[in-house]
Amino acid sequence: MAAGTSAAGSDYARLTRRITEAGLLERRPGYYTLRLGVVVGLLAAGWGAFLALGDTWWQLAVAAFLALVFGQVALVAHDLAHRQVFRRRRPSEIWGRLFGNLGIGMSYGWWMNKHTRHHANPNHEDLDPDVAPDILVWSTDQARAGSGPARLIGGHQAYLFFPLLTLEGFNLHVASVRALRSPWMKSRPAESLLLFLHMAAYLSALFVVLPPGKAVAFLAVHQCLFGVYLGCTFAPNHKGMPTFSGDERPDFLRRQVLTSRNVRGGRLTDVLLGGLNHQIEHHLFPSMPTPHLRRARLVVRAYCAEIGVPYHETGLLRSYREALTHLHRVGEPIRRRRRAARTGRA
């Protein structure tokens, strides 16, 4: 009999029954009405402060504030995409595009395509786009076969990880525009219109209200901090956890639990990380509303102990240390090649 199955059903089916009986998959319209309202209010307040302040270097403080707000908008778009807010696809897509494309310049369709593949096969080197060796390498096998930017910086990627996050906001916009030409992109006219409306309004506001130098400084501070914030919400989730390749595919429950890391913390941690600190529960039940994840954690952790599945949870700073330690370790083949090349030249 395959791992994770029995006459009474799969391990995941039994866990799902417990979660369902606890009412943890029920919608929370009141919570999301409040959360979406607060996020929209903060976004309006940020741009209102921008217009009110005018030509001043204090605008860089507004840029930092809006970086945090943009991150919160992205987290709301994430919940919309997983149908945590609305049960039906149509309203989820409409609001997802409003928050993603129009709100922060991130293509909802591009992100959905990428994130769906990630959820199906987290940390699978051949199937998860989040561990593709584009710039960083995530395993020693990738380091041995690395080429291009991955080979160039892979040996020192642990030290470069956070500096590279300053480019993530820009990368998000570039990837969104490039994705508009992809054949899998749905609702291309709506995606394109909302995306370019955001970019036109954003750049017009900066260069109309501010002189060129301050406008460029605002853009740099805003987008760089936005990228760092986004990276800090996602980095603890899977980086440094086990990876799979080839035909390695455990059953669904183990595939999600073994590759995910939870981050301990209080309500502030939940707000800042958008509930993604409960990554194991989110991956097991992607449509579960964020406020239920903390309660689900108790059920899932106890169940994993019951069936003998490792459940990894740590503090926020420790999660970053684990991720960076892993990045440094897997980069060793690249460093070894460089040492050998230097020795050969000598």
Side-chain angles (χ1 to χ4, degrees):
M1 188 172 292
T5 63
S6 73
S10 71
D11 288 334
Y12 180 68
R14 289 192 294 274
L15 174 60
T16 299
R17 283 195 291 271
R18 296 186 188 185
I19 291 292
T20 303
E21 289 167 1
L24 297 176
L25 295 178
E26 296 176 3
R27 291 295 184 271
R28 291 289 300 273
Y31 164 83
Y32 276 109
T33 298
L34 176 62
R35 182 177 169 189
L36 269 62
V38 168
V39 168
V40 170
L42 291 173
L43 191 63
W47 286 117
F50 172 82
L51 294 174
L53 280 175
D55 181 5
T56 170
W57 284 108
W58 284 107
Q59 291 283 17
L60 298 186
V62 177
F65 172 76
L66 280 173
L68 181 64
V69 175
F70 267 44
Q72 286 293 311
V73 174
L75 290 169
V76 165
H78 168 271
D79 285 13
L80 285 161
H82 280 296
R83 300 194 197 178
Q84 296 176 19
V85 184
F86 304 104
R87 192 177 300 275
R88 293 188 299 117
R89 178 179 61 84
R90 185 63 175 165
S92 298
E93 289 181 346
I94 291 173
W95 285 97
R97 290 190 180 102
L98 288 175
F99 275 89
N101 294 57
L102 184 61
I104 59 174
M106 176 190 74
S107 167
Y108 175 85
W110 163 76
W111 186 87
M112 272 289 290
N113 176 274
K114 179 174 181 287
H115 199 61
T116 299
R117 289 184 286 138
H118 159 69
H119 263 265
N121 294 282
N123 273 19
H124 193 291
E125 295 176 26
D126 306 316
L127 302 172
D128 182 359
D130 287 355
V131 292
D134 297 327
I135 295 179
L136 304 179
V137 292
W138 307 102
S139 70
T140 52
D141 287 341
Q142 288 183 345
R144 293 187 188 99
S147 60
R151 184 169 185 171
L152 179 64
I153 70 172
H156 304 288
Q157 60 185 9
Y159 303 103
L160 297 172
F161 180 73
F162 282 106
L164 284 171
L165 288 182
T166 60
L167 303 176
E168 185 57 29
F170 297 103
N171 175 62
L172 180 150
H173 301 309
V174 171
S176 294
V177 173
R178 291 177 61 186
L180 294 175
R181 299 175 295 183
S182 300
W184 45 258
M185 176 65 73
K186 299 178 181 178
S187 302
R188 186 177 288 107
E191 289 268 352
S192 302
L193 176 62
L194 293 173
L195 199 59
F196 285 108
L197 276 177
H198 168 85
M199 293 180 178
Y202 179 87
L203 293 175
S204 296
L206 262 58
F207 286 93
V208 168
V209 173
L210 301 175
K214 288 188 178 120
V216 171
F218 183 101
L219 186 149
V221 170
H222 179 218
Q223 296 298 327
C224 288
L225 291 181
F226 173 44
V228 171
Y229 180 38
L230 272 187
C232 286
T233 63
F234 288 102
N237 303 340
H238 302 281
K239 309 313 180 193
M241 297 301 291
T243 59
F244 302 118
S245 62
D247 294 329
E248 294 179 286
R249 290 196 72 195
D251 67 284
F252 181 80
L253 184 144
R254 287 162 179 78
R255 191 158 73 241
Q256 305 301 335
V257 175
L258 296 177
T259 60
S260 301
R261 176 195 293 108
N262 270 19
V263 174
R264 289 189 294 267
R267 298 294 179 183
L268 180 60
T269 304
D270 287 358
V271 171
L272 290 177
L273 300 186
L276 297 181
N277 45 310
H278 306 291
Q279 188 68 193
I280 295 173
E281 290 69 34
H282 169 61
H283 259 257
L284 288 169
F285 304 100
S287 64
M288 180 181 289
T290 294
H292 288 168
L293 293 170
R294 179 171 287 273
R295 287 172 55 201
R297 166 180 166 268
L298 301 177
V299 179
V300 173
R301 188 175 61 180
Y303 184 74
C304 286
E306 180 182 321
I307 64 174
V309 173
Y311 181 102
H312 188 54
E313 187 174 52
T314 187
L316 182 61
L317 294 181
R318 177 63 181 268
S319 73
Y320 295 135
R321 184 160 63 247
E322 289 180 1
L324 294 177
T325 299
H326 172 79
L327 286 173
H328 186 71
R329 180 179 60 81
V330 300
E332 174 58 25
I334 296 175
R335 295 192 296 274
R336 191 184 306 123
R337 276 201 304 266
R338 287 179 179 168
R339 287 194 297 267
R342 287 197 297 269
T343 302
R345 285 198 300 270

XYZ file of all heavy atoms in Angstrom, residues 40-85:
345
model
N -7.044 49.267 1.576
C -7.393 50.330 0.622
C -7.246 51.691 1.290
O -6.741 52.649 0.681
C -8.827 50.127 0.090
C -9.285 51.362 -0.698
C -8.901 48.896 -0.798
N -7.652 51.798 2.552
C -7.515 53.060 3.272
C -6.063 53.473 3.432
O -5.713 54.651 3.270
N -5.191 52.504 3.752
C -3.762 52.809 3.889
C -3.156 53.227 2.556
O -2.309 54.136 2.497
C -3.018 51.594 4.442
C -3.311 51.227 5.900
C -2.645 49.897 6.262
C -2.838 52.329 6.835
N -3.590 52.569 1.478
C -3.085 52.923 0.153
C -3.510 54.343 -0.209
O -2.695 55.146 -0.709
C -3.618 51.922 -0.877
C -3.013 51.968 -2.280
C -1.526 51.641 -2.236
C -3.727 50.979 -3.203
N -4.774 54.676 0.064
C -5.266 56.024 -0.213
C -4.555 57.062 0.665
O -4.204 58.158 0.198
C -6.778 56.083 0.024
N -4.304 56.708 1.921
C -3.617 57.630 2.826
C -2.190 57.895 2.353
O -1.694 59.035 2.422
C -3.608 57.056 4.238
N -1.526 56.846 1.879
C -0.155 57.003 1.404
C -0.071 57.931 0.206
O 0.763 58.859 0.174
N -0.934 57.706 -0.779
C -0.902 58.572 -1.952
C -1.445 59.964 -1.633
O -1.012 60.952 -2.236
C -1.676 57.934 -3.100
C -0.948 56.790 -3.727
C -1.322 55.492 -3.785
C 0.334 56.858 -4.384
N -0.374 54.731 -4.429
C 0.659 55.535 -4.810
C 1.241 57.888 -4.640
C 1.840 55.238 -5.479
C 2.433 57.585 -5.307
C 2.718 56.276 -5.718
N -2.361 60.053 -0.657
C -2.829 61.369 -0.219
C -1.709 62.170 0.415
O -1.554 63.377 0.154
N -0.901 61.507 1.243
C 0.253 62.177 1.860
C 1.261 62.597 0.803
O 1.865 63.679 0.886
C 0.905 61.240 2.875
N 1.443 61.756 -0.216
C 2.353 62.074 -1.307
C 1.929 63.375 -2.001
O 2.756 64.272 -2.235
C 2.381 60.918 -2.299
C 3.146 61.198 -3.564
C 4.525 61.066 -3.602
C 2.489 61.606 -4.725
C 5.235 61.327 -4.760
C 3.190 61.872 -5.887
C 4.567 61.728 -5.906
N 0.652 63.482 -2.325
C 0.156 64.689 -3.010
C 0.206 65.901 -2.099
O 0.496 67.025 -2.552
C -1.274 64.445 -3.497
C -1.432 63.383 -4.596
C -2.909 63.131 -4.878
C -0.704 63.799 -5.870
N -0.063 65.714 -0.814
C -0.087 66.846 0.115
C 1.312 67.384 0.393
O 1.501 68.609 0.522
C -0.746 66.415 1.425
N 2.303 66.520 0.470
C 3.662 66.954 0.802
C 4.327 67.701 -0.337
O 5.074 68.660 -0.127
C 4.515 65.742 1.191
C 4.342 65.205 2.610
C 5.159 63.948 2.800
C 4.735 66.253 3.642
N 4.111 67.257 -1.568
C 4.720 67.934 -2.714
C 6.224 67.770 -2.773
O 6.775 66.729 -2.384
N 6.903 68.812 -3.211
C 8.341 68.769 -3.482
C 9.156 68.855 -2.196
O 9.481 69.948 -1.713
C 8.711 69.907 -4.436
C 10.194 69.901 -4.792
O 10.907 68.960 -4.383
O 10.628 70.835 -5.488
N 9.481 67.705 -1.621
C 10.284 67.647 -0.403
C 10.928 66.272 -0.292
O 10.377 65.275 -0.774
C 9.426 67.905 0.852
O 10.200 67.613 2.021
C 8.179 67.028 0.858
N 12.078 66.247 0.374
C 12.747 64.961 0.571
C 12.042 64.092 1.606
O 12.341 62.907 1.724
C 14.200 65.175 0.977
C 15.075 65.581 -0.172
C 15.611 66.812 -0.402
C 15.490 64.758 -1.269
N 16.343 66.817 -1.557
C 16.292 65.560 -2.123
C 15.269 63.430 -1.620
C 16.865 65.077 -3.293
C 15.841 62.936 -2.781
C 16.625 63.765 -3.602
N 11.071 64.662 2.326
C 10.268 63.845 3.227
C 9.459 62.805 2.459
O 8.916 61.869 3.046
C 9.334 64.733 4.058
C 10.045 65.451 5.176
C 10.356 66.771 5.240
C 10.542 64.863 6.372
N 11.024 67.059 6.403
C 11.151 65.900 7.117
C 10.548 63.570 6.892
C 11.748 65.664 8.361
C 11.138 63.334 8.136
C 11.734 64.379 8.849
N 9.370 62.978 1.157
C 8.654 62.001 0.343
C 9.289 60.612 0.419
O 8.623 59.600 0.161
C 8.616 62.460 -1.124
C 7.752 63.676 -1.394
C 6.267 63.343 -1.411
O 5.846 62.301 -0.930
N 5.471 64.236 -1.992
N 10.559 60.539 0.801
C 11.195 59.224 0.918
C 10.586 58.420 2.070
O 10.556 57.185 2.021
C 12.704 59.372 1.105
C 13.451 60.043 -0.063
C 14.955 59.998 0.173
C 13.096 59.390 -1.390
N 10.101 59.135 3.108
C 9.389 58.444 4.185
C 8.057 57.892 3.669
O 7.641 56.789 4.049
C 9.148 59.393 5.362
N 7.410 58.663 2.791
C 6.172 58.186 2.176
C 6.461 56.958 1.306
O 5.689 55.994 1.278
C 5.507 59.293 1.340
C 4.259 58.769 0.632
C 5.152 60.481 2.219
N 7.589 56.998 0.604
C 7.976 55.861 -0.236
C 8.149 54.601 0.610
O 7.718 53.507 0.219
C 9.272 56.174 -0.980
N 8.774 54.737 1.781
C 8.962 53.584 2.668
C 7.611 53.078 3.180
O 7.375 51.861 3.243
C 9.858 53.972 3.838
N 6.719 54.007 3.536
C 5.383 53.615 4.000
C 4.624 52.886 2.902
O 4.008 51.832 3.131
C 4.617 54.856 4.446
C 3.171 54.595 4.772
C 2.817 53.974 5.961
C 2.160 54.956 3.890
C 1.482 53.717 6.263
C 0.828 54.700 4.175
C 0.491 54.088 5.373
N 4.682 53.397 1.675
C 3.971 52.776 0.563
C 4.576 51.424 0.179
O 3.879 50.553 -0.344
C 3.945 53.714 -0.645
C 2.889 54.819 -0.587
C 3.062 55.798 -1.746
C 1.476 54.233 -0.606
N 5.855 51.235 0.440
C 6.462 49.925 0.199
C 5.803 48.876 1.092
O 5.478 47.762 0.651
C 7.963 49.975 0.468
N 5.592 49.236 2.361
C 4.917 48.332 3.287
C 3.475 48.086 2.854
O 2.992 46.953 2.869
C 4.951 48.924 4.693
C 4.302 48.094 5.810
C 5.039 46.780 6.007
C 4.272 48.886 7.118
N 2.792 49.157 2.423
C 1.394 49.027 2.004
C 1.294 48.186 0.731
O 0.400 47.346 0.602
C 0.760 50.418 1.793
C -0.656 50.276 1.239
C 0.727 51.191 3.103
N 2.197 48.405 -0.225
C 2.193 47.591 -1.446
C 2.352 46.101 -1.094
O 1.742 45.234 -1.714
C 3.321 48.025 -2.383
C 2.900 49.048 -3.407
C 2.106 50.128 -3.049
C 3.311 48.942 -4.731
C 1.712 51.073 -3.995
C 2.939 49.880 -5.675
C 2.133 50.943 -5.309
N 3.201 45.812 -0.105
C 3.361 44.433 0.320
C 2.068 43.870 0.869
O 1.702 42.717 0.591
N 1.343 44.679 1.632
C 0.055 44.236 2.166
C -0.975 44.038 1.050
O -1.790 43.118 1.105
C -0.457 45.250 3.188
C 0.272 45.210 4.518
C 0.017 43.914 5.279
O -1.114 43.484 5.443
N 1.092 43.287 5.750
N -0.936 44.898 0.035
C -1.829 44.721 -1.115
C -1.513 43.407 -1.822
O -2.411 42.662 -2.229
C -1.711 45.904 -2.093
C -2.540 45.644 -3.358
C -2.172 47.197 -1.433
N -0.220 43.100 -1.973
C 0.183 41.840 -2.615
C -0.318 40.647 -1.815
O -0.757 39.639 -2.388
C 1.705 41.785 -2.750
N -0.284 40.736 -0.491
C -0.758 39.641 0.346
C -2.273 39.473 0.222
O -2.788 38.352 0.255
C -0.362 39.893 1.804
C 1.144 39.777 2.094
C 1.472 40.298 3.490
C 1.618 38.335 1.944
N -2.999 40.582 0.067
C -4.440 40.505 -0.168
C -4.712 39.836 -1.514
O -5.600 38.985 -1.634
C -5.081 41.902 -0.110
C -6.490 41.891 -0.703
C -5.126 42.410 1.326
N -3.945 40.227 -2.545
C -4.113 39.602 -3.866
C -3.839 38.106 -3.788
O -4.491 37.304 -4.463
C -3.173 40.269 -4.876
N -2.876 37.725 -2.962
C -2.563 36.308 -2.748
C -3.786 35.569 -2.192
O -4.151 34.488 -2.661
C -1.376 36.193 -1.797
C -1.121 34.826 -1.277
N -1.715 34.344 -0.125
C -0.334 33.807 -1.743
C -1.301 33.116 0.105
N -0.465 32.759 -0.860
N -4.426 36.140 -1.186
C -5.606 35.506 -0.591
C -6.752 35.435 -1.592
O -7.494 34.443 -1.636
C -6.047 36.275 0.647
C -5.124 36.033 1.837
O -4.028 35.477 1.638
O -5.503 36.404 2.961
N -6.924 36.482 -2.392
C -7.968 36.479 -3.415
C -7.718 35.367 -4.435
O -8.648 34.663 -4.845
C -8.017 37.833 -4.110
C -8.656 38.972 -3.307
C -8.236 40.326 -3.861
C -10.184 38.848 -3.318
N -6.468 35.209 -4.838
C -6.135 34.191 -5.830
C -6.428 32.788 -5.318
O -6.794 31.899 -6.088
C -4.663 34.308 -6.226
N -6.274 32.577 -4.017
C -6.540 31.263 -3.434
C -8.010 31.066 -3.068
O -8.359 30.055 -2.451
C -5.677 31.062 -2.184
C -4.271 30.666 -2.477
N -3.942 29.479 -3.093
C -3.087 31.309 -2.250
C -2.617 29.396 -3.211
N -2.076 30.490 -2.718
N -8.843 32.020 -3.430
C -10.280 31.971 -3.129
C -10.547 31.853 -1.636
O -11.476 31.181 -1.193
C -10.956 30.821 -3.879
C -10.831 30.942 -5.390
C -11.774 30.005 -6.099
N -11.380 29.827 -7.498
C -12.004 29.026 -8.348
N -13.050 28.328 -7.965
N -11.586 28.918 -9.596
N -9.716 32.524 -0.866
C -9.957 32.600 0.563
C -11.047 33.621 0.877
O -11.726 33.516 1.904
C -8.671 32.986 1.300
C -7.559 31.962 1.191
C -6.278 32.423 1.851
O -6.286 33.327 2.678
N -5.153 31.814 1.480
N -11.199 34.610 -0.011
C -12.159 35.685 0.213
C -13.514 35.327 -0.372
O -14.542 35.372 0.308
C -11.636 37.002 -0.403
C -12.593 38.158 -0.073
C -10.228 37.308 0.098
